[in-house]
Amino acid sequence: MEFEKIYDLYWQKIFRLCMGYVNDPELAQDLAQETFIIVWQQLPKFRNESNIGTWIFRIASNNCLRQIEKEKRFIKASLPFNLEEKKQESLETEIQLLYQFISELPETDRIIISLELEEVKQAEIANIIGLSESNVRVKIHRIKEKLTQKFKENGTY
């Protein structure tokens, strides 16, 4: 598969995955771009031993984890407006909240739920993370419960 097709197919997914890690659009864009630089450089070495999407998600995940390690602390961006003043809820607000809540999860949970939201098969998630598929299913269920609880605590669910 040629690079341009890969880029077109995976750019938005990788960007959203990075957003799940850093909750900062500019930094997420930088991380996604760095991911595709690595993909472009390493594509001739890709051996088709796994799905190309799995390979790209693994590169992106490792790239995000390296960024977090560099900073030694996770950046938690505050919402750009006060939710109490905004009684009218919009999809955009809920998406911002979702990214906010995902950014507060432990690293492994962030990658798992971000991949799940990108509709990556649970078997592939297990392969990327290095856990069993049944463990991934349990973790996804628990993560969804945590996120639901956060929405309830925030009064938006």
Side-chain angles (χ1 to χ4, degrees):
M1 187 181 283
E2 54 184 76
F3 179 76
E4 291 80 16
K5 288 181 183 175
I6 293 169
Y7 184 87
D8 291 341
L9 188 60
Y10 288 98
W11 170 257
Q12 286 297 322
K13 294 176 181 188
I14 296 303
F15 173 76
R16 289 189 299 261
L17 176 72
C18 294
M19 273 295 291
Y21 271 100
V22 296
N23 193 28
D24 176 339
E26 288 179 19
L27 184 55
Q29 190 165 0
D30 288 347
L31 289 168
Q33 198 63 41
E34 288 171 19
T35 297
F36 281 100
I37 290 170
I38 295 168
V39 169
W40 182 73
Q41 291 170 337
Q42 299 298 318
L43 192 58
K45 298 177 186 174
F46 179 67
R47 297 182 307 265
N48 289 314
E49 292 175 0
S50 66
N51 179 309
I52 193 152
T54 303
W55 180 67
I56 293 169
F57 280 119
R58 185 176 299 221
I59 290 170
S61 299
N62 288 338
N63 201 23
C64 291
L65 288 172
R66 274 193 305 275
Q67 177 65 30
I68 290 167
E69 281 299 311
K70 273 189 227 171
E71 294 179 6
K72 292 292 182 201
R73 65 175 192 51
F74 189 72
I75 299 170
K76 292 188 176 144
S78 58
L79 292 175
F81 48 81
N82 185 337
L83 286 177
E84 279 67 39
E85 294 173 6
K86 288 263 190 187
K87 293 297 179 192
Q88 184 181 22
E89 295 204 10
S90 67
L91 182 59
E92 193 172 302
T93 302
E94 289 180 7
I95 289 171
Q96 286 179 317
L97 273 175
L98 180 60
Y99 281 127
Q100 175 76 25
F101 296 153
I102 289 172
S103 75
E104 295 169 358
L105 294 171
E107 288 175 12
T108 303
D109 291 355
R110 286 198 303 262
I111 180 102
I112 290 171
I113 198 64
S114 296
L115 292 169
E116 174 74 6
L117 290 171
E118 289 302 325
E119 299 178 357
V120 174
K121 292 183 175 113
Q122 291 180 357
E124 286 186 55
I125 294 172
N127 187 22
I128 291 167
I129 301 298
L131 298 173
S132 70
E133 195 173 342
S134 60
N135 195 344
V136 167
R137 271 194 300 277
V138 169
K139 283 189 167 289
I140 288 170
H141 177 73
R142 289 181 181 158
I143 294 166
K144 286 179 178 179
E145 285 179 342
K146 284 180 194 175
L147 292 173
T148 300
Q149 185 60 37
K150 287 195 174 267
F151 272 102
K152 286 178 181 175
E153 289 168 3
N154 197 27
T156 56
Y157 188 74

